[in-house]
Amino acid sequence: MSAREKKDLLAETDRLREEGRAAEARERLLQLTTRFPDDAEVAYRTAWVHDVLGLETEAVAYYERSLAGTGLGAEDRRGALLGLGSTYRVLGRYGQAVETLRLGIEEFPDDGALQTFLAMALFNTEEHHEAMRLLLRLVASTSDDPHVQKYRPAIEHYAKDLHETM
């Protein structure tokens, strides 16, 4: 199979997933993983479709394979880190979720979704201060609410230390 044929098949599986035909996409992707077991892009798409179908346990191995491989573009790598971290969290594997999402933020420091999912995982590991710090900084930097922006300096200040008093 040529690289062009593989690309076309991946585009077809994306289309099927977007049309709500994820089970069909999964079957085609499982066939592709048999043919391309070390292909990071195929593994990422396979992980993603498993997540869409609520098959998080099965998704983990594909996410891990996609991140261990080479050839994954930056946006897909970002998605794989978020997907794996979120999936670990859903499965109650909170420590692995935190580790994966921290890696994602190291690589993509401005990604608000990675920061949000890390905050959730930190909450699950009872690292509440760090979770609040992340969320407060994210709200302060991304909110269009004029009232939030009015108090942005104070929010950013207290995000550093919520225990600070006068």
Side-chain angles (χ1 to χ4, degrees):
M1 175 181 296
S2 72
R4 180 68 192 165
E5 290 171 315
K6 183 184 84 170
K7 182 179 179 179
D8 290 344
L9 284 171
L10 286 174
E12 181 183 349
T13 62
D14 288 347
R15 182 183 52 77
L16 288 170
R17 188 190 69 244
E18 291 165 4
E19 291 175 354
R21 297 164 57 193
E24 288 179 62
R26 178 179 177 263
E27 291 304 317
R28 293 189 184 166
L29 283 162
L30 289 173
Q31 292 170 4
L32 277 173
T33 61
T34 301
R35 293 184 76 175
F36 301 98
D38 299 322
D39 188 292
E41 189 175 13
V42 171
Y44 173 55
R45 296 289 207 314
T46 307
W48 191 0
V49 81
H50 279 83
D51 259 351
V52 167
L53 290 168
L55 303 170
E56 287 86 0
T57 301
E58 292 87 344
V60 169
Y62 294 107
Y63 278 127
E64 290 172 342
R65 191 182 310 170
S66 74
L67 290 166
T70 58
L72 203 58
E75 283 307 305
D76 284 348
R77 182 160 174 83
R78 179 190 309 246
L81 288 162
L82 178 62
L84 180 59
S86 173
T87 299
Y88 280 149
R89 186 183 161 279
V90 166
L91 295 173
R93 296 164 65 176
Y94 304 129
Q96 289 173 296
V98 168
E99 181 181 327
T100 301
L101 293 163
R102 282 192 195 281
L103 175 61
I105 289 173
E106 284 176 25
E107 292 184 34
F108 305 99
D110 296 327
D111 188 307
L114 282 164
Q115 293 172 34
T116 302
F117 278 87
L118 176 57
M120 288 187 277
L122 288 167
F123 175 84
N124 294 125
T125 60
E126 299 188 16
E127 297 177 64
H128 303 122
H129 190 273
E130 179 68 9
M132 280 297 295
R133 184 187 68 76
L134 276 171
L135 290 177
L136 286 171
R137 289 176 63 198
L138 185 62
V139 166
S141 67
T142 63
S143 177
D144 291 332
D145 184 307
H147 302 291
V148 169
Q149 288 306 307
K150 179 179 178 180
Y151 293 101
R152 182 178 178 172
I155 294 168
E156 289 174 336
H157 174 78
Y158 288 114
K160 295 175 190 168
D161 184 2
L162 287 169
H163 296 292
E164 183 179 319
T165 60
M166 293 190 74

